[in-house]
Amino acid sequence: MNKVTISAPGKLMLFGEHAVVYDHPCIATAVNQKMSATVELSDKPDFQLNAQDVKIKDYKKPLSQLGKGEIPKNVKFAEIAVKNFFEKFNLNNGIKIETHSDFSSQMGFGSSSAVTVCIIKALDQLFNTNLTNKEIFDLSYKTVLEVQGKGSGFDIAVSIYGGTIYFQTGGKKIEPLKTPQLPLIVGYSGTKADTVTLMKSVIKKFADNPKRLQEIYNEIETIVKKGKQAIENSNWQQSGQLMNENQKLLEELGVSTPKLNAMIKAALANGAYGAKLSGAGGGDCMIAFVPADKLKSVENAITKTGGKIIDVIN
Ligand code: PMV
């Protein structure tokens, strides 16, 4: 075998963003939209990448330079993933990668993490290294930390395990949850958020009041734990209530935006059980749990605020 294609789902954060970076749990879920990577062994001593969705065409680098020098932003995750895999197994093989995404990298569905997972999984199959899911997680997480410096790794875990998971920082806990189909609606705000900038803005905002920041993270943890039970019991009313409480705390962290707030307000005014932003904030998507008979009216209300409904249910 000298060519493998792997796909991995994108993600949404149901409860616990930001706190999860600092050793608290979160709950995240996979979306039906996927990222895929075809990885091929090559005779040429190069790393080659084509990633049309992010405008990378015929990128080429000698293997001796892998991971070194200036790496274009949209190449970083793929190149560092290959470098880390090769380092772990002492390999040095010509490699050609082509990626494709069902979703725009602008939406905050975790395209960088999903592509990292696809590549590590594909290399694992090509080189028969028999990695466990946890080992694939660890190698992918190492890659993400190397590229972006900080992050909990929840998005990697969702790309590997799929479904809905209860997760703790760095993969200390990755627990797949048994849930029926979630009554979930997703609205895209139209702007892209930069996760690292948002994480830094939270630290800056609370530089003078670290005690309150800690309290907020603890309150978020309580919501996550209650959310786990509510979701496992299919108690959407309570799950929605908890989403609203989580959103209030995210607003206090300063990561919501007027556009996200308007979309959330529209969802609630039209019968959603609850709604919140999903992910770092500053843009990307909001989510809502919605009773079946209110689906259309909530979707219309979100659209009226200028949001775009994204179909994500498996
Ligand atoms: O920006 P996103 O959707 O990748 O979500 C980030 C969530 C954070 O908790 C802020 C960061 C993280 O790595 O968990």
Side-chain angles (χ1 to χ4, degrees), residues 187-207:
Y188 175 52
S189 70
T191 45
K192 166 94 185 111
D194 179 59
T195 308
V196 177
T197 308
L198 266 294
M199 287 192 284
K200 284 187 183 152
S201 78
V202 171
I203 304 296
K204 196 161 166 225
K205 182 162 193 244
F206 288 85

Side-chain angles (χ1 to χ4, degrees), residues 116-300:
T116 303
V117 166
C118 289
I119 290 172
I120 304 264
K121 274 190 165 180
L123 291 170
D124 178 49
Q125 289 195 14
L126 281 172
F127 292 99
N128 292 313
T129 42
N130 295 319
L131 294 173
T132 61
N133 276 346
K134 185 59 176 43
E135 286 166 335
I136 290 169
F137 175 87
D138 289 341
L139 210 45
S140 304
Y141 186 46
K142 177 177 157 66
T143 301
V144 168
L145 287 184
E146 213 171 309
V147 175
Q148 76 176 32
K150 221 173 179 43
S152 66
F154 82 99
D155 36 9
I156 296 165
V158 172
S159 283
I160 295 171
Y161 293 82
T164 301
I165 58 166
Y166 182 81
F167 174 89
Q168 197 176 342
T169 326
K172 274 183 205 145
K173 200 177 260 177
I174 304 175
E175 187 185 333
L177 300 183
K178 280 201 195 74
T179 56
Q181 187 159 312
L182 303 172
L184 186 65
I185 279 187
V186 179
Y188 175 52
S189 70
T191 45
K192 166 94 185 111
D194 179 59
T195 308
V196 177
T197 308
L198 266 294
M199 287 192 284
K200 284 187 183 152
S201 78
V202 171
I203 304 296
K204 196 161 166 225
K205 182 162 193 244
F206 288 85
D208 296 336
N209 196 356
K211 189 166 160 277
R212 178 60 194 146
L213 184 58
Q214 201 46 57
E215 277 168 16
I216 294 175
Y217 289 159
N218 290 340
E219 286 170 37
I220 291 177
E221 172 159 347
T222 305
I223 290 170
V224 170
K225 288 184 170 157
K226 287 186 188 163
K228 179 173 184 276
Q229 278 192 341
I231 286 182
E232 285 180 323
N233 295 332
S234 306
N235 188 339
W236 309 128
Q237 190 90 44
Q238 198 201 353
S239 302
Q241 198 57 48
L242 291 163
M243 274 186 173
N244 294 340
E245 287 175 29
N246 197 160
Q247 172 62 17
K248 274 208 192 82
L249 295 167
L250 288 164
E251 283 171 29
E252 193 177 340
L253 290 180
V255 297
S256 201
T257 65
K259 180 72 177 282
L260 286 166
N261 291 345
M263 293 162 78
I264 289 165
K265 199 168 153 199
L268 295 176
N270 285 275
Y273 292 123
K276 63 182 274 294
L277 65 85
S278 165
D284 288 348
C285 291
M286 53 74 71
I287 55 175
F289 276 176
V290 181
D293 61 331
K294 296 284 193 311
L295 243 144
K296 272 281 144 265
S297 58
V298 171
E299 286 186 351
N300 288 340

